[in-house]
Amino acid sequence: MKNFISLADVSDPKALVQEAIQLKKNPFADKALGKNKTIGLLFFNSSLRTRLSTQKAAQNLGMEVMVMNVNQDSWGLEMMDGVVMNGDKAEHVKEAAAVIGQYCDIIAVRSFAELKDRNADYQEIVINKFKQYAGVPIVNLESATRHPLQSLADCITIEEYKTKPRPKVVLTWAPHFKSLPQAVANSFSEWMNVWDVDFVVTHPEGYDLAPEFVGNAQVVYNQREAFEGADFIYTKNWSSYKDYGKVLTQNPDWMITMDKMRLTNNGKFMHCLPVRRNLKVTDEVLDSPQSIVIPQAGNRVWSAQVVLKQILSGL
Ligand SMILES: NCCC[C@H](NC(=O)CCC(=O)O)C(=O)O
Ligand SMILES: NC(=O)OP(=O)(O)O
């Protein structure tokens, strides 16, 4: 593997998941692979899981890790070419990425959608500029439109918890007062489209994801209907793609409750976290045996480790 920016970088996603499940049984087997190799983790946004699980994965592979919160600790980075840099951005990504590439064998970047300009976000400017100028492999830690390390961990989790060869998986929108990116939902949908599942997406009208991410999913605007017989309920809030970045409704009727979970086939509750209790999902659901959010987050280590292992093997 050269880079891990989206599903397109993975030649065999199912084999990758099986390899991750094997790694989990023997986490330190490849400790020599990363010796004298350095990964730089660059964060333009907050993180708990991504930061710690990627660091842990790199350490399991024997790598050195450097972490930088770009917006707090470094110079403001200009992403646009050909501009007069007389504003608040002191350094161009052209130099910054190339310089970090002198210090690191792999660079991992988190940079969320700004949710102001749909074209700009969907062009994936930040991660693509790093790919263009760093000269070393790039790993996506959640970019404007995708969060593939999360989706890979989600696939590992579904493989571990499924009770039938072809489970029904439902991606459901849930209410939030803030305008949040579509990245997690897009990416999950992208991966579910190549998985052995019956995949349903449910959300209020106006929240349709970009068609290239919805793919062959069945879209249902009635949440209760969507939940019928589901084996997995994957919850996420996202802002509108069509009316870009807007919060069109905060309708509390879309919150995940035990009453709705009872419509499922003893369905497992999944969420990438962080999750706001009693806004998106009730305490009762999150604290029930049906919730698998903690092992799901635990799988972020194996998702990152299998990706770093494959990239290191190709250096
Ligand atoms: N990486 C996992 C999700 C990150 C981000 N969530 C958030 O920003 C939640 C913030 C809040 O609830 O205030 C998102 O939706 O893409
Ligand atoms: N799920 C996830 O990516 O969590 P963080 O935003 O805390 O990294």
Side-chain angles (χ1 to χ4, degrees):
M1 197 188 291
K2 286 207 164 64
N3 300 284
F4 184 73
I5 293 175
S6 78
L7 178 63
D9 295 306
V10 182
S11 56
D12 188 342
K14 283 173 192 153
L16 193 67
V17 165
Q18 289 310 318
E19 193 181 340
I21 291 170
Q22 291 311 311
L23 270 182
K24 188 171 177 174
K25 293 179 190 152
N26 198 1
F28 310 116
D30 304 297
K31 194 97 191 176
L33 190 63
K35 190 169 189 288
N36 298 333
K37 299 278 191 253
T38 300
I39 185 168
L41 308 182
L42 307 182
F43 288 90
F44 289 84
N45 313 94
S46 305
S47 170
L48 186 154
R49 279 142 292 272
T50 304
R51 177 168 174 161
L52 298 179
S53 64
T54 310
Q55 188 160 356
K56 170 94 176 160
Q59 287 167 353
N60 287 351
L61 291 164
M63 300 185 82
E64 301 292 330
V65 184
M66 300 196 295
V67 185
M68 188 159 74
N69 295 319
V70 182
N71 291 335
Q72 285 111 292
D73 302 337
S74 186
W75 305 106
L77 293 188
E78 177 59 57
M79 297 292 164
M80 296 303 152
D81 292 328
V83 297
V84 177
M85 287 174 57
N86 60 358
D88 56 353
K89 309 273 170 60
E91 180 154 26
H92 200 279
V93 67
K94 212 163 180 173
E95 284 78 45
V99 169
I100 299 166
Q102 299 284 304
Y103 309 146
C104 298
D105 301 281
I106 301 174
I107 299 175
V109 182
R110 163 164 287 196
S111 175
F112 290 174
E114 290 189 351
L115 297 172
K116 290 179 199 126
D117 175 346
R118 185 167 93 177
N119 278 341
D121 284 345
Y122 275 68
Q123 279 174 40
E124 289 285 13
I125 292 167
V126 177
I127 199 137
N128 283 329
K129 292 283 182 194
F130 272 92
K131 185 180 171 188
Q132 191 179 353
Y133 298 126
V136 298
I138 300 296
V139 173
N140 186 342
L141 300 177
E142 187 173 335
S143 64
T145 70
R146 289 181 175 88
H147 193 359
L149 282 177
Q150 181 66 51
S151 309
L152 175 55
D154 299 336
C155 288
I156 297 168
T157 311
I158 288 171
E159 287 307 298
E160 288 178 329
Y161 282 87
K162 72 181 184 187
T163 55
K164 55 168 83 118
R166 197 177 169 83
K168 177 177 174 181
V169 177
V170 177
L171 167 62
T172 180
W173 182 94
H176 200 303
F177 59 93
K178 274 164 80 172
S179 169
L180 297 187
Q182 293 108 30
V184 170
N186 283 346
S187 211
F188 184 70
S189 188
E190 184 166 57
W191 286 67
M192 285 299 105
N193 263 278
V194 300
W195 226 250
D196 296 321
V197 294
D198 290 325
F199 183 48
V200 176
V201 184
T202 185
H203 50 72
E205 289 191 41
Y207 278 98
D208 297 74
L209 296 166
E212 66 263 33
F213 289 104
V214 177
N216 295 319
Q218 188 193 348
V219 179
V220 177
Y221 298 118
N222 182 326
Q223 192 188 37
R224 286 181 170 268
E225 187 189 317
F227 273 42
E228 296 278 352
D231 298 292
F232 294 93
I233 297 296
Y234 193 97
T235 302
K236 183 73 187 80
N237 169 273
W238 61 88
S239 59
S240 175
Y241 172 73
K242 191 161 159 259
D243 200 354
Y244 194 65
K246 295 286 181 329
V247 175
L248 305 176
T249 176
Q250 298 180 39
N251 187 351
D253 289 347
W254 279 79
M255 180 167 66
I256 313 306
T257 60
M258 222 18 146
D259 179 45
K260 290 176 195 170
M261 291 302 288
R262 278 191 276 271
L263 298 168
T264 69
N265 176 34
N266 193 26
K268 299 294 183 205
F269 176 85
M270 297 178 72
H271 191 288
C272 66
L273 306 180
V275 69
R276 290 177 183 253
R277 285 173 173 256
N278 306 311
L279 182 71
K280 290 164 90 172
V281 52
T282 61
D283 284 334
E284 197 186 7
V285 171
L286 211 44
D287 296 332
S288 79
Q290 278 169 265
S291 170
I292 55 170
V293 298
I294 304 302
Q296 179 188 358
N299 280 335
R300 291 294 306 275
V301 175
W302 317 114
S303 141
Q305 191 165 331
V306 78
V307 165
L308 296 181
K309 181 185 169 183
Q310 290 226 348
I311 293 176
L312 285 170
S313 303
L315 286 181

